[in-house]
C-alpha cells in the first residue's frame, strides 16, 4: 500500500482490491494513443493502446459485478449511476470548453461534423456515427476534436449490456458464466476476423467486433492464475514485450496480429502481476500510477487540443509544438480529474439530485447546439456571405453535378471529350466547362470499363490522377490522351474562418514542397502527355486558397468549388494549354 501514498495524485487508498499496476498499465496504454493521434512517426501502432483499455475495462467491471453479486449487493441502476458519474462530468466539461473555439475557428463543414459528434458523444454513439459516415467525403481525422470518443461509446454500450447478461446467467454459477463467455468470445473473435477483411470500419468501430477484447478481461476476473515467483516473472516479462512489440513494431503494419498480441500481453500482465515482481515494480512507479489515475481525463483532452491546434494553424504543427500540446492535455487532464471527475464521483460532495440536474442541463444545452450545427450545415452564414458564397457551389453537391455528363456514348458531332477518373475527374469536368466553349464540346465522364467503348471515338481524352496510366490500357494506346495531375490546397483551410471577410482576397497556405517534388517525379515518368495542375495554384509564396473576392477555391483542401474551377480554368487558358485540341472560350463567357 505504500505505493499508493507516495505519489501526489491520490489520497491514501483503503480499497484492498486496488491494483497500482493496473493504473500503470493504463498509462502505458494512454501515451501511445496520444503519440499516434499527434502523428509521430514511431507511434503508427499506438492506436492499439485503446485495446489495452478495453481489456482492462472487461477485467475491472467483471470483477466489480461478481464481487457485488456474491454479496447480493449488485444494483444495475446503481452500477449505471457510478459509470455515469465516472464518465459524463469530464466529458461535458471538455465539450463545453472546446465548443466556443469550434464556433469561431471552424469552417461550416467542420462545424457540422463537430455538431454531429457532440450529439453522438453525449449519447455514447460516436462509434456508430463514425461507422455510418466513414467514406470518401469524410472529414479528415485531424480536424475532429471528438474523434476519440468512439472508444467511450463502445465502453458505455458494454456497460449497458454486460451487467444484464451476467445477472441473467447468474444462476448458472461461475462455471456457467465461463462457458457462455467462451462461446461469445469465439463468436465475436470470428466475426472480427471476418470483418477485418469484409467490413474494416465495422471491425474497428462496433461493439460486436470488439466484444472479445472485453471478454478477455472478464476471463481474468472469473479465474485468476496463481504461479510461483519465477514463472510469474517470465510471463510478466513476456506480457510487457508483447505489448511493446505490438505498439511500436507489429501494429503499424499488421493490425490483426498487433491487436492479438497487445491483448494477449494485457491478459498476461493482469493475471500474473503482484507486488514483488520486477514488471509490477516498474508499472507501480508514482509517475505511471499518477498518469494512469488521470488517464481518462487526459485521454478526453488530448484529441481536442491536437485537433483545435490543427484547425487554427495554417500549416502542420512541428513535433516540438505537438509535444507541448500533449503536455497541455496532461495538465488539463489532471485539473479535470482533480476538480471535476473526482468530486462528481463522491456522493458526499455531489448528491444524486445535483448530479442529475447538472448533467441533464448542460447535456441538453450542448445537444441543442450540436443539433443546430447539424441542421444548419455548420452555420455557413457565420463565415460566408450567402449571396457571395452559395452553398450549392461548393462541397460534394457541387462536385457531383458532373455526374450529369455520365453518358453511355457520344451523341453529337461536336468536339468529343472523354474524362476518366473519380471525384478529381469530376473537378476536371467543371474546369473544362469554365475554361473552354462547352457549347462546342460534348463531354462524357466515366470511370468504368465503358471507357474502352468510348475511347476510340473521342477527340481528346483526359485521365485524371490518381487513376494514371495502366488502369485502362485501351485508353493508353490512344494518341490524344492527357494525364491530369493532382492538386492540394495545403494542410488546413479552417483558418479562413477567423480572417475578416474584407481581407480574404487571394489568401495563401504555406507552399507544399513535397507536392512539388512529387509532381516533378510524376511528370518525368509520364512525359509530355502529363498536364500539371498544381503550378496553376502555387508559387514561392504558397498555394492560393481564395479568389479575388475572397471565395474559397476548395472546401476540403483537395476538391474544387465553383470558384476553384474558374480559377484553375483561367490559369489553364493563360498558360496556353489545350488551345489546339479544345474549342476556345467565347469572349465574355
Amino acid at each position: 500500500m505504500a505505493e499508493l501514498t507516495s505519489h501526489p495524485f491520490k489520497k491514501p487508498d483503503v480499497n484492498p482490491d486496488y491494483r497500482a499496476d493496473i493504473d500503470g498499465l493504463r498509462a502505458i496504454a494512454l501515451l501511445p494513443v496520444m503519440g499516434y493521434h499527434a502523428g509521430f512517426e514511431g507511434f503508427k501502432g499506438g492506436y492499439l493502446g485503446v485495446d489495452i483499455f478495453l481489456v482492462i475495462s472487461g477485467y475491472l467491471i467483471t470483477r466489480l459485478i461478481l464481487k457485488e453479486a456474491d454479496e447480493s449487493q449488485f444494483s444495475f441502476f446503481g452500477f449505471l449511476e457510478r459509470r455515469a458519474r465516472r464518465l459524463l462530468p469530464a466529458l461535458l466539461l471538455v465539450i463545453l470548453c472546446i465548443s466556443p473555439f469550434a464556433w469561431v475557428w471552424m469552417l461550416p463543414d467542420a462545424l457540422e461534423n463537430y455538431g454531429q459528434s457532440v450529439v453522438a458523444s453525449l449519447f455514447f454513439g460516436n462509434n456508430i456515427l463514425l461507422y455510418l459516415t466513414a467514406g470518401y467525403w469524410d472529414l479528415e481525422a485531424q480536424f475532429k476534436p471528438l474523434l476519440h470518443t468512439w472508444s467511450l461509446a463502445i465502453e458505455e454500450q458494454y456497460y449497458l449490456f454486460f451487467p444484464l447478461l451476467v445477472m441473467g446467467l447468474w444462476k448458472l454459477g461461475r462455471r456457467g458464466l465461463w462457458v457462455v463467455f467462451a462461446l461469445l468470445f469465439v463468436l465475436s473473435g470470428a466475426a472480427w476476423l471476418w470483418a477485418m477483411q469484409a467490413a474494416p470500419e465495422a471491425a474497428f468501430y462496433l461493439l460486436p467486433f470488439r466484444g472479445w477484447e472485453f471478454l478477455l478481461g472478464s476471463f481474468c476476473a472469473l479465474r485468476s492464475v496463481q504461479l510461483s515467483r519465477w514463472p510469474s516473472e517470465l510471463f510478466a516479462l513476456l506480457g510487457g514485450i508483447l505489448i511493446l512489440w505490438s505498439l511500436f513494431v507489429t501494429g503499424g503494419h499488421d493490425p490483426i496480429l498487433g491487436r492479438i498480441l497487445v491483448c494477449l500481453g494485457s491478459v498476461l500482465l493482469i493475471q500474473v502481476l503482484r507486488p514483488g515482481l520486477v514488471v509490477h515494480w516498474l508499472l507501480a512507479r508514482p509517475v505511471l500510477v499518477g498518469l494512469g489515475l488521470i488517464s481518462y481525463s487526459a485521454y478526453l483532452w488530448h484529441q481536442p487540443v491536437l485537433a483545435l491546434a490543427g484547425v487554427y494553424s495554417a500549416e502542420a504543427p512541428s513535433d516540438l509544438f505537438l509535444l507541448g500540446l500533449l503536455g497541455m492535455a496532461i495538465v488539463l487532464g489532471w485539473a479535470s480529474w482533480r476538480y471535476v471527475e473526482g468530486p462528481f464521483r463522491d456522493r458526499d460532495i455531489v448528491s444524486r439530485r445535483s448530479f442529475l440536474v447538472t448533467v441533464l442541463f448542460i447535456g441538453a444545452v450542448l445537444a441543442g447546439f450540436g443539433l443546430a450545427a447539424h441542421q444548419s450545415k455548420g452555420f455557413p452564414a457565420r463565415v460566408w456571405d450567402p449571396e457571395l458564397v452559395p452553398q450549392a457551389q461548393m462541397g460534394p453537391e457541387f462536385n457531383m453535378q458532373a455526374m450529369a455528363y455520365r453518358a453511355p456514348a457520344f451523341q453529337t458531332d461536336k468536339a468529343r471529350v472523354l474524362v476518366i477518373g473519380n471525384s478529381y475527374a469530376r473537378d476536371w469536368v467543371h474546369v473544362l466547362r469554365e475554361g473552354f466553349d462547352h457549347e462546342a464540346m460534348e463531354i462524357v465522364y466515366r470511370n468504368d470499363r465503358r471507357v474502352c467503348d468510348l475511347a476510340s471515338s473521342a477527340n481528346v481524352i483526359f485521365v485524371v490522377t490518381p487513376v494514371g496510366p495502366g488502369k485502362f490500357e485501351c485508353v493508353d494506346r490512344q494518341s490524344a490522351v492527357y494525364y491530369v495531375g493532382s492538386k492540394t490546397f495545403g494542410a488546413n483551410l479552417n483558418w479562413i474562418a477567423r480572417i475578416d471577410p474584407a481581407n480574404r482576397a487571394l489568401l495563401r497556405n504555406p507552399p507544399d514542397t513535397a507536392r512539388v517534388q512529387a509532381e516533378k517525379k510524376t511528370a518525368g515518368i509520364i512525359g509530355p502527355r502529363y498536364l500539371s495542375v498544381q503550378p496553376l495554384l502555387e508559387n514561392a509564396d504558397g498555394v492560393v486558397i481564395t479568389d479575388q473576392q475572397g471565395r474559397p477555391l476548395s472546401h476540403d483542401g483537395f476538391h474544387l468549388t465553383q470558384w476553384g474551377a474558374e480559377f484553375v480554368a483561367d490559369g489553364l487558358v493563360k498558360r496556353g494549354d489545350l488551345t489546339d485540341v479544345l474549342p476556345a472560350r467565347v469572349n465574355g463567357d
Side-chain angles (χ1 to χ4, degrees):
M1 299 295 292
E3 304 157 313
L4 307 181
T5 61
S6 59
H7 59 78
F9 295 98
K10 190 173 178 66
K11 297 177 181 179
D13 200 298
V14 296
N15 182 3
D17 295 325
Y18 174 72
R19 290 181 55 175
D21 57 294
I22 295 295
D23 273 326
L25 186 56
R26 280 192 174 116
I28 298 300
L30 172 68
L31 293 174
V33 172
M34 295 174 72
Y36 172 78
H37 284 152
F40 293 145
E41 183 65 27
F43 289 81
K44 291 184 178 179
Y47 64 93
L48 293 172
V50 171
D51 300 81
I52 301 175
F53 282 126
L54 300 187
V55 175
I56 292 174
S57 290
Y59 168 69
L60 294 177
I61 294 305
T62 304
R63 188 180 68 167
L64 172 65
I65 293 173
L66 293 178
K67 181 177 183 296
E68 293 187 351
D70 282 335
E71 299 170 355
S72 299
Q73 295 180 345
F74 180 77
S75 164
F76 178 66
F77 292 104
F79 172 83
L80 289 184
E81 181 189 349
R82 291 197 299 272
R83 294 301 92 203
R85 284 176 176 269
R86 168 85 163 93
L87 299 176
L88 283 174
L91 176 64
L92 292 174
L93 172 69
V94 170
I95 298 176
L96 196 62
C97 289
I98 67 177
S99 292
F101 295 98
W103 173 269
V104 175
W105 291 352
M106 284 184 174
L107 288 177
D109 281 353
L111 188 67
E112 178 186 11
N113 181 274
Y114 174 74
Q116 295 166 352
S117 295
V118 167
V119 176
S121 297
L122 292 174
F123 290 95
F124 294 104
N126 204 26
N127 61 325
I128 298 173
L129 173 67
L130 289 169
Y131 166 68
L132 293 175
T133 58
Y136 191 82
W137 292 104
D138 192 15
L139 187 71
E140 290 189 82
Q142 65 264 34
F143 301 134
K144 294 182 176 182
L146 296 176
L147 171 71
H148 60 326
T149 63
W150 70 267
S151 64
L152 306 184
I154 283 185
E155 292 211 29
E156 189 65 20
Q157 292 157 17
Y158 163 75
Y159 295 154
L160 183 62
F161 293 112
F162 184 74
L164 295 176
L165 175 66
V166 174
M167 292 299 97
L169 300 172
W170 186 246
K171 291 183 180 181
L172 299 177
R174 292 189 177 230
R175 180 174 296 180
L177 286 175
W178 179 276
V179 172
V180 174
F181 287 177
L183 176 62
L184 293 175
F185 173 82
V186 171
L187 291 175
S188 177
W192 168 68
L193 289 173
W194 168 82
M196 285 295 290
Q197 303 299 325
E201 290 86 4
F204 189 85
Y205 286 123
L206 300 184
L207 177 61
F209 307 105
R210 292 277 189 171
W212 65 274
E213 296 179 273
F214 289 107
L215 289 169
L216 282 174
S218 297
F219 291 138
C220 295
L222 273 172
R223 184 172 300 171
S224 61
V225 176
Q226 300 296 327
L227 300 175
S228 59
R229 168 69 183 271
W230 289 111
S232 296
E233 290 277 20
L234 290 175
F235 279 116
L237 180 61
L238 176 61
I241 291 173
L242 289 177
I243 287 175
L244 295 177
W245 187 265
S246 61
L247 289 172
F248 299 106
V249 181
T250 307
H253 60 84
D254 190 338
I256 294 179
L257 181 59
R259 185 158 294 146
I260 292 173
L261 292 181
V262 81
C263 290
L264 180 58
S266 301
V267 167
L268 287 174
L269 292 184
I270 291 172
Q271 282 284 40
V272 305
L273 284 183
R274 64 176 187 268
L277 300 182
V278 172
V279 177
H280 182 280
W281 182 87
L282 291 172
L283 289 176
R285 293 306 84 210
V287 172
L288 285 180
V289 174
L291 187 56
L293 287 168
I294 67 169
S295 60
Y296 172 62
S297 286
Y299 179 83
L300 282 180
W301 277 108
H302 86 279
Q303 176 64 16
V305 167
L306 292 172
L308 288 177
V311 165
Y312 183 85
S313 176
E315 53 188 323
S318 67
D319 285 352
L320 184 61
F321 186 68
L322 289 171
L323 276 175
L325 292 176
L326 294 183
M328 179 191 300
I330 291 174
V331 172
L332 291 171
W334 174 85
S336 295
W337 172 84
R338 176 67 177 83
Y339 298 107
V340 176
E341 186 182 339
F344 269 89
R345 294 176 71 178
D346 191 335
R347 293 181 182 177
D348 293 333
I349 298 176
V350 180
S351 67
R352 177 178 294 177
R353 177 183 175 85
S354 297
F355 171 75
L356 288 175
V357 169
T358 302
V359 166
L360 290 177
F361 175 74
I362 297 177
V365 171
L366 292 175
F369 167 72
L371 286 172
H374 165 69
Q375 291 290 341
S376 66
K377 296 189 177 297
F379 298 101
R382 171 184 55 90
V383 179
W384 310 113
D385 179 345
E387 295 185 1
L388 181 66
V389 185
Q391 286 296 106
Q393 292 176 256
M394 58 192 299
E397 297 82 1
F398 172 71
N399 183 271
M400 293 299 290
Q401 290 176 20
M403 293 295 287
Y405 293 87
R406 198 172 180 271
F410 290 106
Q411 304 292 333
T412 70
D413 292 328
K414 298 178 182 179
R416 296 179 172 184
V417 180
L418 176 61
V419 180
I420 304 169
N422 56 11
S423 60
Y424 297 104
R426 295 194 289 272
D427 275 347
W428 190 246
V429 169
H430 291 299
V431 170
L432 294 178
R433 279 182 49 85
E434 297 297 333
F436 300 90
D437 183 4
H438 63 272
E439 295 292 342
M441 297 186 295
E442 183 182 3
I443 300 174
V444 172
Y445 159 71
R446 303 295 302 196
N447 193 32
D448 53 28
R449 284 295 169 184
R450 190 177 287 273
V451 302
C452 292
D453 301 328
L454 294 161
S456 59
S457 58
N459 299 121
V460 60
I461 303 171
F462 296 101
V463 181
V464 185
T465 53
V467 176
K471 181 175 181 179
F472 301 109
E473 294 183 2
C474 59
V475 173
D476 297 334
R477 293 192 295 266
Q478 302 299 317
S479 57
V481 58
Y482 295 87
Y483 298 94
V484 182
S486 58
K487 59 195 179 303
T488 181
F489 291 85
N492 174 38
L493 300 177
N494 283 282
W495 64 276
I496 298 174
R498 57 185 173 83
I499 303 299
D500 187 292
N503 299 319
R504 289 180 181 167
L506 298 177
L507 294 177
R508 292 184 181 271
N509 260 336
D512 191 339
T513 54
R515 171 70 64 175
V516 172
Q517 295 302 317
E519 280 279 310
K520 290 180 179 179
K521 183 178 180 180
T522 304
I525 294 172
I526 296 179
R529 294 195 294 177
Y530 181 78
L531 193 60
S532 185
V533 176
Q534 194 67 23
L536 300 174
L537 303 168
E538 190 170 308
N539 60 26
D541 296 326
V543 55
V544 65
I545 57 176
T546 59
D547 66 5
Q548 287 281 6
Q549 286 74 46
R551 299 172 297 190
L553 303 187
S554 173
H555 81 283
D556 62 356
F558 301 100
H559 297 89
L560 299 175
T561 63
Q562 171 72 44
W563 314 286
E566 294 172 359
F567 190 93
V568 172
D570 287 342
L572 199 66
V573 171
K574 290 176 182 176
R575 198 168 66 180
D577 292 341
L578 307 175
T579 54
D580 57 336
V581 294
L582 292 178
R585 181 168 51 183
V586 178
N587 290 335
D589 194 10

